[in-house]
Amino acid sequence: MKNISARLLLFLLLGLISCQPNNTSTSNQTATSTKVYYPEKGDKWERKKPEQVGMDADLLAQAVAYAQTQETKRAKDFSDQEQTFGKLLGPIPNDRAATNGIILRHGYIVAEWGDTERADPTYSIAKSFLSTLLGVALDKGLIKNVQDPVANYIKDGGYDSEHNRKITWHHHAQQTSEWEGELFGKTHTFVGKEEFGSGERKPRALQEPGTFYEYNDVRINRFSLSMLRLWKKPLPEVLKEQIMNPIGASDSWQYLPYQNSFVDVDGQQLPSVSGGTRWGGGLWINTRDEARFGYLFLRQGKWKNQQLVSADWVKQATTPGPHGPDYGYLWWLNTQKKQWPNAPATSYAALGAGSNTIWVDPEHDLVVVWRWHGTNGDEFFKRIIAAVKK
């Protein structure tokens, strides 16, 4: 009798336990069912009301209204281009769009204003795209180590001097290469008003590669040329195949060379593209495509089921170097909270003249593209973050 009672009690107890909710199982099921959203190619980009993604609609609307009042003073017809940057080497559009932008939360569009489908020059945002192609080259084994001297791979005479042969891929990507020479009619010195406009510089002594930061488009163009020789095909093609097509970018973007930047690569005349639109050409792209690029980085280089650039590279690219401003591998950082005091230290951006901005905020799961404005973005980001409630 005692044995029967004990068995009955055990049976009832096991039945009771089996009826209890399994928190661990439920949590795992919830995590599995909550998929990361990625927009499809084209206009099928899902929108969410701010309150659906934990944001205050009124505060977000106020932030956008503020952004719309901050139009850049840059000439709309680019008539200030040569005065600002120097003699053109490549094409420039007849005009540009007005200030415009897009805000993503969890990948969904929560705000959009202005002409976000017009492919305008994005200036030095192109540098962050070049950095990404360096990461892909590293992932694919075209480069063994980012700390390797470029001279180990590129034998076109550009790294033959005692000074230049010390330059590594890392130095180029952090703007500490101090590369010495002339490229496509522009010298590394930036001396001369005709060639460099109001951005001309005074002569100075060269420093050892890796010891001194200088924002220098001649050196970045040398980096881009070296990347062309590494990939052995035009970088716009590489960018399209490796990044832009997989993230569903439009067909409207183009990456234009200078008239005089065609070089011989294995018997073919191929275009070498620049790190910006300082002297014309460069990456002409719409706001929505830039938002996709920013979202790729927010998702640590992954798009749907493809790791387009390694998460390790994303981390390296957004880690500051020891020299110059808060700067990674051709990305602007906020590690010291100096760039954007009201934004998280983990946020970072691709920046170009104009101002053109792709801002990524992992802490709040935000991507903001804001183009043709006249600020550094801090006040706008502050207002957006204030709208985030959960």
Side-chain angles (χ1 to χ4, degrees):
M1 187 71 176
K2 286 182 179 179
N3 287 341
I4 293 173
S5 298
R7 287 174 187 171
L8 181 60
L9 182 61
L10 179 61
F11 177 78
L12 291 172
L13 182 60
L14 289 172
L16 181 63
I17 291 171
S18 67
C19 292
Q20 298 302 308
N22 186 330
N23 292 331
T24 303
S25 175
T26 303
S27 298
N28 289 339
Q29 288 172 3
T30 302
T32 302
S33 62
T34 306
K35 293 182 179 179
V36 175
Y37 170 73
Y38 290 94
E40 297 299 323
K41 181 178 172 64
D43 295 329
K44 297 176 182 178
W45 198 328
E46 193 171 340
R47 296 173 179 271
K48 292 279 188 181
K49 293 180 179 179
E51 54 270 23
Q52 290 178 296
V53 291
M55 299 184 77
D56 183 290
D58 289 338
L59 290 178
L60 186 61
Q62 290 172 29
V64 171
Y66 162 79
Q68 291 172 310
T69 67
Q70 301 300 310
E71 175 86 27
T72 180
K73 289 183 171 58
R74 281 291 310 277
K76 206 163 186 181
D77 62 358
F78 295 97
S79 57
D80 60 349
Q81 182 76 23
E82 290 198 300
Q83 179 185 348
T84 305
F85 298 113
K87 181 182 175 183
L88 284 169
L89 299 176
I92 205 79
N94 292 327
D95 57 11
R96 60 165 175 83
T99 188
N100 65 87
I102 192 168
I103 300 172
L104 309 181
R105 182 102 204 274
H106 307 324
Y108 301 100
I109 297 175
V110 292
E112 187 173 18
W113 65 99
D115 187 353
T116 59
E117 296 188 11
R118 176 165 172 162
D120 275 345
T122 198
Y123 289 80
S124 285
I125 279 179
K127 292 177 173 63
S128 300
F129 282 79
L130 288 177
S131 165
T132 304
L133 293 186
L134 175 62
V136 176
L138 193 67
D139 291 342
K140 291 186 176 297
L142 297 179
I143 298 169
K144 293 179 182 178
N145 192 309
V146 75
Q147 302 288 351
D148 285 347
V150 182
N152 290 3
Y153 302 81
I154 307 303
K155 311 293 184 181
D156 62 0
Y159 299 90
D160 286 354
S161 71
E162 183 179 350
H163 177 84
N164 286 348
R165 74 169 63 108
K166 301 172 188 175
I167 296 167
T168 67
W169 298 103
H170 168 84
H171 295 154
H172 267 317
Q174 288 206 322
Q175 301 238 47
T176 60
S177 75
E178 287 287 271
W179 183 82
E180 181 182 22
E182 181 179 321
L183 189 66
F184 310 136
K186 304 283 184 179
T187 62
H188 74 274
T189 62
F190 265 64
V191 173
K193 197 169 189 65
E194 182 180 353
E195 293 297 334
F196 299 101
S198 59
E200 69 169 336
R201 296 167 188 166
K202 294 179 180 179
R204 67 168 176 83
L206 275 177
Q207 305 297 310
E208 279 291 296
T211 67
F212 185 83
Y213 170 94
E214 182 178 79
Y215 199 88
N216 187 306
D217 276 47
V218 174
R219 290 174 176 140
I220 291 298
N221 289 351
R222 176 62 253 196
F223 165 60
S224 180
L225 172 57
S226 299
M227 291 274 287
L228 167 64
R229 297 198 183 282
L230 184 75
W231 282 96
K232 297 184 183 300
K233 61 180 174 179
L235 294 187
E237 288 184 21
V238 179
L239 181 62
K240 185 175 184 178
E241 293 167 4
Q242 301 295 327
I243 302 295
M244 303 304 275
N245 279 357
I247 66 175
S250 74
D251 298 321
S252 68
W253 69 274
Q254 50 185 334
Y255 203 160
L256 303 172
Y258 304 140
Q259 284 94 339
N260 64 340
S261 65
F262 287 77
V263 299
D264 182 272
V265 178
D266 293 344
Q268 290 183 294
Q269 286 294 304
L270 299 183
S272 185
V273 292
S274 64
T277 311
R278 180 180 291 267
W279 302 306
L283 181 61
W284 299 12
I285 186 171
N286 73 38
T287 301
R288 282 184 157 225
D289 286 345
E290 292 197 322
R292 287 175 182 269
F293 180 69
Y295 191 54
L296 173 67
F297 268 74
L298 182 68
R299 293 289 168 251
Q300 296 292 299
K302 187 174 183 179
W303 195 272
K304 297 183 179 178
N305 61 348
Q306 296 184 73
Q307 193 72 43
L308 302 182
V309 62
S310 67
D312 183 59
W313 178 260
V314 174
K315 182 178 179 181
Q316 287 185 63
T318 54
T319 298
H323 307 290
D326 208 352
Y327 200 68
Y329 284 161
L330 305 179
W331 287 87
W332 291 92
L333 313 180
N334 199 38
T335 312
Q336 302 170 30
K337 298 271 285 186
K338 290 181 179 179
Q339 185 78 12
W340 310 290
N342 291 294
T346 53
S347 64
Y348 57 93
L351 300 177
S355 298
N356 285 273
T357 306
I358 305 173
W359 181 69
V360 180
D361 177 5
E363 185 173 318
H364 296 100
D365 209 41
L366 290 165
V367 173
V368 178
V369 180
W370 189 21
R371 306 188 70 180
W372 306 119
H373 61 93
T375 80
N376 83 329
D378 185 57
E379 179 62 27
F380 185 39
F381 303 152
K382 173 185 174 182
R383 292 170 183 240
I384 296 170
I385 291 168
V388 177
K389 298 305 177 186
K390 61 180 179 179

